[in-house]
Amino acid sequence: MTDYFDDIRPYTFEEAKAAYLRLLNDARFQDAVAKCIPNYAIQQLPDDLEKCHSVYDIQQSFIRRFLETFTKTTTKGVSMAGIEYTNPDKAYLYISNHRDITFDPAMLQYYFLIKKRNTSKIAIGNNLLSTPLVADIGRTNKMIIVKRDSDNIREKLTNFQQLSAYIQYSLFENKESVWIAQRDGRTKNGDDYTKQGLLKMVTMGHSKDLLETIKAMNIVPMSISYEFEPCDQLKAREEALKESGHYEKQPGEDFNSIKQGIFQQKGRVSLVLGSPLQDEIDTIDPALNNNQKLDAVCKLIDRQIYQNYQLFANNYIANDLLHGNDRHAEHYSPEEKIRFETYLQSKICVADVSKEKMWCYLLKIYGTPVDNFENQDIRNRNND
């Protein structure tokens, strides 16, 4: 592996073992293990590491226990489907809607571990690596660092080129799958859509026809949906403050979002892997220019994400409240509507945003996926 990737790639197996030995001396890591795996004696971790022969072995024997705890304590069950459409001997680029910083990719890894499939690499922004603890935990679990902290255009381009080269290296040479969000940052208004800029980035430097390069990446759209959205109150507040021009991210805010996203109650969770896009890509007119081709691929990804998104009663209730009708009343009971409205009322009281604004943005978070599923024209897509 070339040194060119050293500052963004996941840890090797030996580096991962060394990182876990460092983490043994971190009180926060000790506390997390004690809380999440109460029947595990952390002193046995060095011996357990010696029994492992790969990062996957560590994930299967140790990290899986954390994921089981999180699913049992913060959800009412996670349904998973679609892995049967993929070949365990192939590498895929999983392009996912993005609702929670850590839980979205963690649930995909959990699915792989349950099915005894090799886990994927995960592309995560460096703005989330707020402490050495978070950085070590991420990179020991196949995290690819996405550099997002530069305002210099030339430096941004260099960073994108490096990231693109590493994703292509992982897929084509390393033969290892990669998870990446459909755009930078989480969806904060319920509108999941793939940014054309993402596809431009992952295909940078392609030497073949653009569509042939995209086909070779084996893109699989992934849909993850939550009955109760992680960090819904934080997201609604941020959107409302952005609208008024008063939002400024505070130090430690991303780390707090990580914690809340992990530990907030989510109700039922659904993860669905769509079918690889190869055949659908063949339907795109090769005479189109590259921007039009990328836009067509984005729409193929979005279509699967919308159709595979699990719509809960909360989504239908929010959509009806958002549009001032009861068009979807068949999908929920009066009791469910009362419970959800009570839940929303508990989320609208924040110091710097009006209740009316919070109510509106919370409804968008939950109600917009219904519009997307029904192919409503809710935005003008920008080809960025």
Side-chain angles (χ1 to χ4, degrees):
M1 182 183 299
T2 174
D3 293 343
Y4 175 53
F5 301 131
D6 276 354
D7 59 336
I8 66 167
R9 64 168 174 78
Y11 288 154
T12 65
F13 173 53
E14 291 301 327
E15 289 169 341
K17 285 200 300 181
Y20 278 112
L21 294 178
R22 287 197 300 273
L23 290 170
L24 280 175
N25 298 315
D26 191 305
R28 292 165 299 176
F29 181 73
Q30 296 170 7
D31 185 54
V33 174
K35 287 181 178 178
C36 298
I37 322 176
N39 59 347
Y40 183 80
I42 196 170
Q43 296 83 1
Q44 76 181 58
L45 182 56
D47 290 336
D48 289 345
L49 291 173
E50 288 303 313
K51 299 173 186 175
C52 295
H53 303 285
S54 65
V55 169
Y56 175 82
D57 287 347
I58 300 174
Q59 291 178 314
Q60 189 66 262
S61 63
F62 183 61
I63 296 301
R64 179 172 172 174
R65 302 184 191 204
F66 282 92
L67 301 179
E68 287 171 344
T69 296
F70 296 145
T71 57
K72 287 177 182 176
T73 59
T74 73
T75 81
K76 291 185 177 178
V78 181
S79 63
M80 300 174 172
I83 201 169
E84 65 272 15
Y85 298 120
T86 61
N87 184 331
D89 297 322
K90 285 186 177 181
Y92 295 91
L93 179 61
Y94 294 97
I95 297 182
S96 171
N97 70 320
H98 192 25
R99 296 306 183 98
D100 185 68
I101 294 169
T102 54
F103 216 81
D104 296 352
M107 286 302 95
L108 179 62
Q109 308 317 305
Y110 188 40
Y111 193 12
F112 290 144
L113 292 170
I114 290 171
K115 295 296 184 179
K116 294 182 169 55
R117 291 279 192 96
N118 190 25
T119 49
S120 73
K121 294 176 181 176
I122 302 166
I124 298 288
N126 65 340
N127 55 303
L128 308 176
L129 306 182
S130 53
T131 67
L133 169 69
V134 176
D136 272 346
I137 291 174
R139 297 185 75 179
T140 57
N141 284 283
K142 301 188 177 182
M143 188 186 77
I144 305 168
I145 297 174
V146 180
K147 298 175 183 176
R148 289 185 181 154
D149 53 358
S150 175
D151 293 324
N152 181 282
I153 294 176
R154 183 173 294 179
E155 188 176 358
K156 277 187 175 181
L157 177 60
T158 299
N159 292 340
F160 283 146
Q161 288 172 330
Q162 182 191 30
L163 176 61
S164 178
Y166 186 73
I167 289 173
Q168 292 182 39
Y169 166 82
S170 297
L171 295 173
F172 301 143
E173 297 184 47
N174 198 222
K175 305 299 182 185
E176 196 158 7
S177 297
V178 174
W179 176 95
I180 193 167
Q182 64 183 169
R183 66 189 205 230
D184 52 330
R186 294 166 294 161
T187 303
K188 299 185 179 76
N189 60 1
D191 184 14
D192 303 299
Y193 67 94
T194 305
K195 273 197 171 182
Q196 192 188 102
L198 172 74
L199 294 181
K200 283 183 179 178
M201 183 276 292
V202 297
T203 57
M204 289 176 87
H206 64 90
S207 56
K208 308 181 205 176
D209 173 81
L210 176 62
L211 291 179
E212 288 303 312
T213 299
I214 291 174
K215 278 183 66 175
M217 289 182 163
N218 294 324
I219 292 175
V220 173
M222 171 181 141
S223 303
I224 189 161
S225 29
Y226 300 87
E227 186 175 17
F228 292 95
E229 177 82 15
C231 302
D232 50 6
Q233 185 182 57
L234 296 178
K235 293 178 181 180
R237 173 183 172 273
E238 179 178 332
E239 289 295 287
L241 290 174
K242 281 180 178 176
E243 181 188 26
S244 63
H246 295 143
Y247 175 72
E248 184 175 339
K249 186 176 286 189
Q250 300 301 310
E253 189 171 323
D254 286 324
F255 186 66
N256 288 333
S257 291
I258 291 174
K259 290 193 296 182
Q260 185 162 327
I262 291 173
F263 294 108
Q264 180 168 314
Q265 294 299 314
K266 304 167 187 68
R268 292 168 290 171
V269 179
S270 168
L271 184 154
V272 180
L273 301 179
S275 55
L277 290 182
Q278 275 82 344
D279 292 342
E280 291 182 88
I281 290 172
D282 285 336
T283 67
I284 297 173
D285 184 355
L288 296 174
N289 64 44
N290 279 351
N291 278 340
Q292 292 170 324
K293 290 175 181 177
L294 290 172
D295 191 55
V297 176
C298 286
K299 289 175 180 175
L300 293 176
I301 295 168
D302 292 348
R303 185 190 310 160
Q304 286 203 38
I305 288 176
Y306 300 155
Q307 293 303 308
N308 290 329
Y309 191 96
Q310 173 66 56
L311 295 171
F312 298 103
N314 294 351
N315 301 112
Y316 289 111
I317 295 166
N319 190 270
D320 283 355
L321 291 170
L322 192 62
H323 296 300
N325 58 44
D326 59 357
R327 195 160 59 90
H328 303 98
E330 64 183 296
H331 294 288
Y332 55 85
S333 68
E335 293 77 18
E336 286 175 319
K337 185 176 182 181
I338 291 171
R339 280 198 297 270
F340 185 56
E341 288 181 315
T342 301
Y343 171 81
L344 293 178
Q345 289 289 344
S346 73
K347 296 287 183 175
I348 63 174
C349 296
V350 297
D352 46 3
V353 177
S354 70
K355 292 181 180 180
E356 291 76 18
K357 285 283 187 185
M358 287 294 293
W359 180 265
C360 177
Y361 279 104
L362 285 165
L363 290 183
K364 287 182 179 180
I365 288 172
Y366 287 97
T368 300
V370 178
D371 288 334
N372 280 335
F373 179 78
E374 295 176 344
N375 298 313
Q376 299 296 314
D377 185 14
I378 60 173
R379 86 186 78 87
N380 293 314
R381 183 197 296 275
N382 293 314
N383 292 334
D384 46 354

